[in-house]
Each structure stands twice: as C-alpha cells, then as structure tokens.
Amino acid sequence: MDENRLHCDHCPVRFNTVWERKEHEYDRHGIGEAVPHPFMTEHYRTVEPYVTALRMIREAIGELFGPLASLESPEATLLRKEGPTPTSEAEAVIAALQRVEEVMRAA
Ligand SMILES: [Zn+2]
C-alpha cells in the first residue's frame, strides 16, 4: 500500500495532502490513528523559524537563477506528510544549486 497515496481505498475521494487522507481515513473509517495537522504540532512550531529562513534562501535562488534552478514549488512541500521541514527546504535549495551548476558546467 502506498503510504503517500492521495485517494481513499474505501470510497471515491481524492485529497490534496497525505495528511487530509489520513484524517479522512481515521474520521470516516476508523483506520490508522488521529494525526495532528503538520502545521499544528509543537514540532512544527519549533522548526518554523528555520523553515522560514531556508524559504528565504530558496526564494532568493529562484529570483537570481529563475528557470535555471527550476525550484520545487513551495506547494510541493505541502504534499509531504510531515509538511515543510528545514530538511525539505534545504534539500530543495541544494537540488536547485546542483541544477544551476550543471547548466554552468555545460555552457
Ligand atoms: Zn474513504
């Protein structure tokens, strides 16, 4: 079973985030466990300033290099079941810098 699927296996419903699916499955079908919204957790409140700082770097890279960096959209990180994390933001920045480096090396 795909842990990251965005549909319910028990009724014809689709979701925008894994979190929404898990909430639905728990509320409607009693499957799994109550999952706090990623943005409502104590953990998220702790890491939010770091997420914000890394998001600023991500946006600066987007402005400096534009399509060269082809950054993962901030929305894409919302699809991650844990929400945006400092690690997911850092990974997006590193991947973008690697794409810029590849383009520069090929030039
Ligand atoms: Zn369902």
Side-chain angles (χ1 to χ4, degrees):
M1 188 182 292
D2 178 9
E3 255 302 290
N4 294 315
R5 71 191 184 286
L6 295 174
H7 64 273
C8 178
D9 282 341
H10 308 279
C11 53
V13 186
R14 291 197 62 85
F15 308 96
N16 293 316
T17 67
V18 173
W19 174 77
E20 286 172 47
R21 174 183 54 80
K22 287 188 168 184
E23 183 187 47
H24 164 88
E25 286 177 344
Y26 181 75
D27 290 345
R28 185 69 59 81
H29 307 294
I31 297 168
E33 53 192 60
V35 185
H37 190 286
F39 296 170
M40 294 300 148
T41 60
E42 188 63 33
H43 173 72
Y44 186 75
R45 280 192 284 273
T46 304
V47 301
E48 190 172 22
Y50 308 104
V51 170
T52 302
L54 285 156
R55 178 66 52 83
M56 288 166 66
I57 295 171
R58 171 210 283 261
E59 287 170 358
I61 289 172
E63 284 167 20
L64 286 168
F65 299 108
L68 273 187
S70 70
L71 273 167
E72 180 188 38
S73 74
E75 289 72 30
T77 59
L78 296 177
L79 299 179
R80 297 164 189 258
K81 62 174 174 257
E82 73 276 24
T85 67
T87 303
S88 68
E89 290 299 309
E91 284 169 354
V93 166
I94 291 165
L97 289 174
Q98 286 170 338
R99 281 189 289 273
V100 170
E101 194 273 337
E102 276 169 29
V103 171
M104 289 172 71
R105 191 170 17 166

